[in-house]
Amino acid sequence: MTDAQNDSAGVVAVTGAAGGIGGALAAGFAAAGWRALAIDRTAPAAVPPGVTPVALDVTDTAAVAAWGDGLGRLDALVNAAGVIRRNDEFDPAVFAQVVDINLNGAMRMCMAARPALAASRRGAVINIASMLSYFGGPLVPAYTASKSGIAGLTRALAVAWAADGIRVNAVAPGWIATAMTAPLRADDARSRGILDRTPMRRWGRPEDLVGPCLFLASDAAAFVTGTLLPVDGGYAAM
C-alpha cells in the first residue's frame, strides 16, 4: 500500500490497539487504505504495513493533550481502549480505575483530537461501547457504568460537535472472542448460555467490527451521527 493510497483514504488513530478489538481495527483500517496510528499504553510491538505504533496512556491527561498538540492530519478517532475487572469492580478504587480508562480516557482522546478532526473534511469519532451500554452486568458495575457513559458521551458530542463537521458514533460489540472474554469461553455452561441467546450461534470475531467502523468513518455515513450500532449477532434483539 503506497503512502498516496493511504492518504487518499485518511488517517485514523485507534486506542487500545494492543488488544484484540483495537488491533483488528487498526489492521482493518490499514488494509482498507487508511494510515493507522495504533495507540496503547505500551506501543504494539508487531504491526502490519500501514500501521504506526504509538505509546500513549489514555489516563495521562498531560500526555494525551501533548499528543493532540503534535497531531498533523487526523480524519478519524476510534476509542477502543478498555478494561474489565470481573468481581473486583465493587471496590471503589477499582471502580474509579475502570471508569478512568474506559470513559474518561475516551473523553481525553476526543478533546485532544478535536482540532485535527475539525480541520479534516470528514472528521469522525467512533467509540467502542458494549452490550452493557444497554444491559446491567451484575459482576462488573464499573464496566457497565463506563460503557453506559460511552453511549451518553457519544450522543452529547454528536450534538455539540456537529457544527464543527465532526460526526460521533459508537459501535456496541456483542460477545467477541478476545482475551477479555477468555474466562467466559472456557466456562462451557456460560459459553453455551451466550450462544443459545445469540441468533447467529457463534462468538463474534474482532474482525467483525472492522466493516461497521469503516462505514462509520467513511463518506457513506456522512449524515450519520449520534448512533449506537450493535454488532452482536442479534443478541440485543432477543
Side-chain angles (χ1 to χ4, degrees):
M1 191 68 67
T2 68
D3 288 342
Q5 287 173 312
N6 281 330
D7 286 345
S8 67
V11 180
V12 60
V14 182
T15 70
I21 289 176
L25 291 174
F29 269 87
W34 289 67
R35 190 151 47 90
L37 307 177
I39 298 171
D40 214 293
R41 184 171 55 184
T42 300
V47 295
V51 177
T52 301
V54 177
L56 181 64
D57 183 348
V58 300
T59 68
D60 187 332
T61 300
V64 171
W67 171 81
D69 290 342
L71 273 176
R73 175 180 175 181
L74 187 69
D75 302 289
L77 167 67
V78 181
N79 285 308
V83 297
I84 195 167
R85 299 283 187 262
R86 289 185 186 86
N87 299 310
D88 295 333
E89 293 184 6
F90 290 92
D91 180 326
V94 176
F95 186 100
Q97 179 190 50
V98 171
V99 171
D100 196 34
I101 295 170
N102 296 2
L103 178 58
N104 299 346
M107 181 58 173
R108 291 185 188 97
M109 292 298 298
C110 284
M111 292 304 298
R114 181 183 179 181
L117 292 173
S120 169
R121 64 183 177 85
R122 53 173 182 180
V125 175
I126 302 165
N127 294 319
I128 303 302
S130 168
M131 288 178 297
L132 297 188
S133 297
Y134 304 101
F135 309 127
L139 300 180
V140 286
Y143 189 84
T144 301
S146 66
K147 292 302 184 177
S148 297
I150 284 291
L153 179 64
T154 297
R155 291 188 291 266
L157 294 185
V159 175
W161 290 358
D164 293 330
I166 302 172
R167 297 178 299 102
V168 185
N169 293 289
V171 168
W175 297 100
I176 308 297
T178 65
M180 188 180 289
T181 60
L184 301 177
R185 287 180 285 120
D187 183 330
D188 289 341
R190 188 73 177 95
S191 181
R192 176 48 52 193
I194 288 168
L195 295 178
D196 284 347
R197 179 172 166 168
T198 303
M200 295 190 74
R201 293 295 188 269
R202 69 171 175 86
W203 283 81
R205 298 179 293 267
E207 293 76 16
D208 289 325
L209 300 168
V210 172
C213 288
L214 283 171
F215 163 69
L216 290 173
S218 75
D219 295 339
F223 201 54
V224 179
T225 196
T227 65
L228 182 59
L229 173 63
V231 183
D232 62 1
Y235 188 92
M238 292 289 283

